């Protein structure tokens, strides 16, 4: 049995619960969007833009939509509890949903590199690697 597959809670009520939950966690600019193909939650949390997209099948009926939104609420509640309990930081709990400057989330950006790392059995290139220290004119380390 899928989570909340028999829920009668309207999507609008679940969206309001998500917005209230995030605002209580000090999120700003909280937005929820109920699109036919996906449920979207966006907000600013701890100075980071967070975007959570949940795909919904194009032929999904109202019951499936209600269940997906309830599952999304449960997920966000669990992340908030993990942060408040000190199990994770906000960054750890929401890392894959942080929006990067190019509009992709960290998860969208990292998934291909992770897949390659497992296929090759080696670490991916470190995109955050700092440049090597500069040397003085004499060729010796400064």
């Amino acid at each position: 049995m899928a989570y909340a597959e028999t829920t009668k809670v309207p999507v609008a009520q679940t969206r309001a619960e998500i917005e209230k939950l995030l605002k209580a966690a000090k999120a700003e600019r909280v937005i929820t969007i109920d699109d036919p193909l996906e449920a979207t939650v966006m907000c600013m949390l701890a100075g980071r833009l967070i975007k959570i997209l949940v795909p919904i099948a194009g032929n999904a009926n109202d019951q499936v939509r209600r269940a997906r939104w309830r599952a999304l609420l449960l997920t966000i509640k669990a992340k908030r509890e993990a942060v408040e309990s000190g199990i994770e930081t906000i960054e750890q709990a929401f890392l894959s949903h942080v929006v990067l400057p190019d509009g992709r989330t960290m998860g969208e950006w990292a998934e291909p590199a992770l897949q390659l790392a497992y296929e090759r059995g080696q670490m991916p290139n470190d995109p955050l690697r700092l440049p090597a220290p500069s040397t003085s004119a004499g060729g010796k380390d400064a």
Side-chain angles (χ1 to χ4, degrees), residues 1-121:
M1 179 186 253
Y3 178 77
E5 74 177 13
T6 61
T7 187
K8 301 293 183 212
V9 180
V11 168
Q13 182 178 333
T14 302
R15 288 174 63 190
E17 289 179 52
I18 290 171
E19 291 171 13
K20 182 179 177 182
L21 178 69
L22 288 169
K23 288 176 183 175
K26 301 196 181 357
E28 300 173 340
R29 296 188 234 158
V30 179
I31 299 169
T32 60
I33 302 170
D34 182 26
D35 183 79
L37 298 179
E38 64 190 8
T40 305
V41 174
M42 294 182 71
C43 65
M44 290 295 294
L45 189 59
R48 304 282 188 258
L49 178 58
I50 306 295
K51 178 173 67 174
I52 303 172
L53 301 176
V54 178
I56 299 175
N59 59 350
N61 61 28
D62 287 343
Q63 183 60 46
V64 170
R65 301 185 71 69
R66 288 191 300 268
R68 294 294 278 178
W69 275 98
R70 294 309 288 178
L72 177 55
L73 172 62
L74 180 66
T75 299
I76 294 169
K77 278 183 180 179
K79 289 177 181 296
R80 182 175 177 211
E81 180 60 31
V83 170
E84 289 182 358
S85 299
I87 295 169
E88 294 180 301
T89 64
I90 288 175
E91 290 81 2
Q92 290 168 331
F94 290 94
L95 183 62
S96 66
H97 304 289
V98 172
V99 178
L100 297 169
D102 69 359
R104 292 181 295 169
T105 62
M106 274 294 296
E108 291 167 332
W109 176 79
E111 282 180 33
L114 181 61
Q115 182 63 36
L116 264 172
Y118 275 96
E119 288 172 5
R120 295 179 179 172

